[in-house]
């Protein structure tokens, strides 16, 4: 395999009787931006630590650029890293911090100076060379850590929640920067986050982790729109998950309403009918007998600025969330109004309960 490829082959890690990473296999292409997403404790950091070499797996292999690195210490792996517990050194100034991966390799002085200047420009920290950690904001410190991770142009960079400490605006700005730098340098990035939006914006592919396993893996749009489980559906943003059961070629939803679900989605007999709130259309008036339509009553309308979110009570006390764009001339529905909800069969799936 070519430089920059990464593979985990049946990797397992146990602590005592607890299996924290269970038989994880994944192949990542050179230049890919790959994200491990999952709730706290799902095994993301442990997985990344096995790639880094801080943790040795109990089973399986770690391959980097086609070479077995399972037992090679971190230093020998040639990776760039931005880890939460791998902060910038307080006794070195910014330029010395950024230069660190090159100075330990005893790179020539002129090359160090040139590469440090490049990296400083990429993270927009020119003029901060002489400062120390205590003289920098949280965001500036994270940019120093990023510059240090990329200064040697490693083929693979590992990042564990690198933007965790930043406020929303700076976070968004840095997401764009990291994505841009990784593309420009052609680096493979393995990125860890528990933030769904961050994963969706930045990644070529996302692996959603649950209890040490990969629950689902795919491009952002695919895992968002075609979740295979209620866990993935609920973890990646808002999801309607309505009690339903298979009924011939259709699905019986709340109140026995027959609803078509996407072809191939009828995997389970008893299950949960999944549809995202923004895929649900709402119209004034109650039942009209049209296929794929659920009658209901508006319980609550929340004005969120760009969207209006309706909570609609349908049969059997079930509630469906429906998001409508607050566009020009958009109709408003008030609490108590009878309404009809509908969606396209291909936007829904029947998932195992
Ligand atoms: P995440 O990064 O997804 O929040 P971690 O990989 O840090 O999850 O942890 C996964 C599980 O492994 C957690 O239950 C955690 O408590 C446990 N764990 C992690 N490191 C150790 C360790 N060194 N010793 C014992 N348990 C650990
Ligand atoms: Mg973690």
């Amino acid at each position: 395999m070519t430089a920059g490829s990464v593979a985990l082959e049946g990797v397992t890690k146990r602590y005592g009787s607890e299996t924290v990473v269970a038989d994880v296999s994944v192949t990542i292409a050179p230049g890919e931006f790959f994200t491990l997403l999952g709730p706290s404790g799902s095994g993301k950091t442990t997985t990344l630590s096995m790639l880094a070499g801080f943790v040795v797996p109990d089973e399986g292999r770690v391959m980097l650029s086609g070479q077995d690195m399972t037992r090679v210490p971190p230093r020998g792996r040639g990776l760039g890293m931005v880890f939460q517990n791998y902060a910038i050194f307080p006794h070195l100034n910014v330029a010395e911090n950024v230069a660190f991966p090159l100075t330990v390799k005893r790179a020539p002085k002129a090359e160090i100076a040139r590469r440090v200047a490049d990296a400083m420009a990429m993270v927009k920290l020119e003029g901060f060379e002489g400062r120390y950690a205590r003289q920098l904001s949280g965001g500036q410190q994270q940019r120093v850590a990023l510059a240090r991770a990329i200064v040697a142009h490693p083929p693979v960079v590992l990042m564990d929640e690198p933007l965790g400490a930043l406020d929303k605006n700076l976070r968004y700005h840095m997401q764009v920067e990291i994505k841009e730098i990784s593309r420009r340098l052609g680096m493979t990035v393995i990125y860890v986050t528990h933030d769904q939006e961050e994963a969706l914006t930045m990644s070529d592919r996302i692996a959603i982790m649950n209890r040490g396993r990969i629950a689902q893996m795919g491009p952002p749009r695919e895992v968002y729109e075609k979740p295979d489980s209620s866990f993935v559906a609920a973890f990646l943003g808002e999801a309607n998950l309505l009690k339903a059961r298979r009924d011939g070629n259709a699905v019986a939803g709340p109140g026995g309403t027959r609803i078509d679900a996407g072809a191939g989605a009828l995997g389970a007999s008893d299950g949960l009918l999944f549809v995202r709130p923004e895929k649900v259309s709402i119209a004034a008036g109650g039942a009209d007998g049209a296929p794929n339509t659920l009658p209901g009553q508006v319980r609550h309308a929340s004005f969120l600025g760009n969207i209006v979110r309706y909570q609609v009570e349908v049969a059997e006390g079930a509630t469906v969330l429906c998001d409508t764009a607050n566009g020009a001339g958009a109709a408003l529905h008030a609490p108590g109004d009878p309404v009809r909800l509908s969606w396209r069969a291909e936007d829904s799936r029947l998932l195992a309960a």
Side-chain angles (χ1 to χ4, degrees), residues 156-173:
V156 180
V157 178
L158 311 178
M159 301 193 191
D160 192 357
E161 313 249 7
L163 309 180
L166 306 186
D167 64 44
K168 202 175 170 196
N169 284 340
L170 187 55
R171 213 180 154 98
Y172 175 72
H173 176 77

Side-chain angles (χ1 to χ4, degrees), residues 247-321:
D247 182 6
N249 274 333
V251 176
T257 324
R258 284 174 64 92
I259 302 164
D260 290 334
L266 299 172
S269 49
D270 272 311
L272 294 166
L273 184 67
F274 155 83
V275 62
R276 295 268 176 221
E278 70 274 18
K279 304 291 190 190
V280 178
S281 309
I282 183 168
D288 68 349
N292 273 353
T293 300
L294 270 182
Q297 198 175 37
V298 175
R299 277 282 157 254
H300 196 73
S302 319
F303 177 66
L304 303 175
N306 57 338
I307 64 170
V308 181
R309 169 165 295 168
Y310 294 102
Q311 262 178 45
V312 176
E313 192 177 321
V314 295
E316 296 167 6
T319 299
V320 177
L321 286 183

Side-chain angles (χ1 to χ4, degrees), residues 35 78 86 143 149 151 155 185 306 319:
T35 297
Y86 196 64
R143 282 192 272 164
V151 73
L185 297 181
N306 57 338
T319 299

Side-chain angles (χ1 to χ4, degrees), residues 79-102:
L79 301 166
M81 286 182 223
V82 185
F83 271 52
Q84 278 166 319
N85 56 0
Y86 196 64
I88 64 171
F89 309 116
H91 61 287
L92 299 180
N93 68 25
V94 167
E96 290 161 347
N97 260 285
V98 174
F100 187 75
L102 299 170

